[in-house]
């Protein structure tokens, strides 16, 4: 079984566009597409990345992957948090396709389709930051 990895980066739109153009060119010139290529998620700023991958969001992802809870309510119980907060956090993660939900009767079972999340932050490139004071 192939390990599923989500690669998360902070990079400019022009970098993402160039990488996409390069991938299309490679796919057109290749006989076989790389079906095992990891999924990528890119943010323009480190602040945007931090809004999605909060410590609480990371806790949720680990609990879902390890415990496979049957519902959002059970997930909230496992992390000892309010169900409303957990639901909002899961909805934000689902908006980025980091988690998905399986409808089982009235319950929604959260799932994580990845075995690992690889957050890459280049220290050699200039990345944009939001201008809010620290």
């Amino acid at each position: 079984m192939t390990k599923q990895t989500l690669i998360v980066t902070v990079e400019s739109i022009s970098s993402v566009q160039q990488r996409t153009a390069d991938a299309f060119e490679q796919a057109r010139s290749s006989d076989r597409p790389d079906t095992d290529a990891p999924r990528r998620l890119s943010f323009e700023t480190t602040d945007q990345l931090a809004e999605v991958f909060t410590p609480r969001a990371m806790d949720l992802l680990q609990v879902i992957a390890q415990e496979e809870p049957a519902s959002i309510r059970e997930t909230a119980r496992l992390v000892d948090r309010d169900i409303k907060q957990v639901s909002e956090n899961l909805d934000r993660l689902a908006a980025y396709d980091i988690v998905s939900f399986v409808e089982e009767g009235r319950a929604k079972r959260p799932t994580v389709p990845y075995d690992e999340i690889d957050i890459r932050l280049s220290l050699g490139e200039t990345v944009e930051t939001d201008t809010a004071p620290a």
Side-chain angles (χ1 to χ4, degrees), residues 3 7 20 30 32 50 63 71 76 79 88 90 104 116 131-132:
K3 191 176 217 180
I7 297 175
T20 302
S30 177
R32 245 180 66 179
V63 163
S71 66
V79 294
E88 289 171 357
L90 289 174
E104 294 179 342
E116 66 181 4
T131 56

Side-chain angles (χ1 to χ4, degrees), residues 12-79:
S12 68
I13 291 292
S14 60
S15 295
V16 172
Q17 290 171 332
Q18 183 61 53
R19 189 170 25 80
T20 302
D22 292 346
F24 275 125
E25 187 60 37
Q26 181 183 8
R28 287 193 327 188
S29 65
S30 177
D31 291 338
R32 245 180 66 179
D34 185 5
T35 56
D36 291 333
R39 181 171 178 276
R40 296 181 76 99
L41 175 61
S42 296
F43 295 92
E44 286 187 80
T45 69
T46 53
D47 288 341
Q48 290 171 341
L49 179 138
E51 287 177 12
V52 175
F53 288 99
T54 65
R56 287 185 169 215
M58 299 302 283
D59 288 345
L60 283 174
L61 292 170
Q62 287 181 317
V63 163
I64 293 166
Q66 294 169 4
E67 303 294 330
E68 299 180 351
S71 66
I72 294 173
R73 183 174 305 283
E74 183 180 349
T75 305
R77 184 184 57 75
L78 289 168
V79 294

Side-chain angles (χ1 to χ4, degrees), residues 100 105 125:
S100 59
E125 293 180 24

Side-chain angles (χ1 to χ4, degrees), residues 81-101:
R81 289 178 45 204
D82 179 73
I83 189 170
K84 185 174 188 272
Q85 293 173 346
V86 169
S87 181
E88 289 171 357
N89 210 181
L90 289 174
D91 286 342
R92 183 179 316 115
L93 292 168
Y96 289 94
D97 293 327
I98 302 165
V99 299
S100 59
F101 298 103

Side-chain angles (χ1 to χ4, degrees), residues 108-124:
K108 286 172 39 175
R109 179 171 52 91
T111 63
V112 179
Y114 306 104
D115 299 303
E116 66 181 4
I117 296 175
D118 182 358
I119 297 177
R120 298 179 183 178
L121 180 61
S122 175
L123 301 177

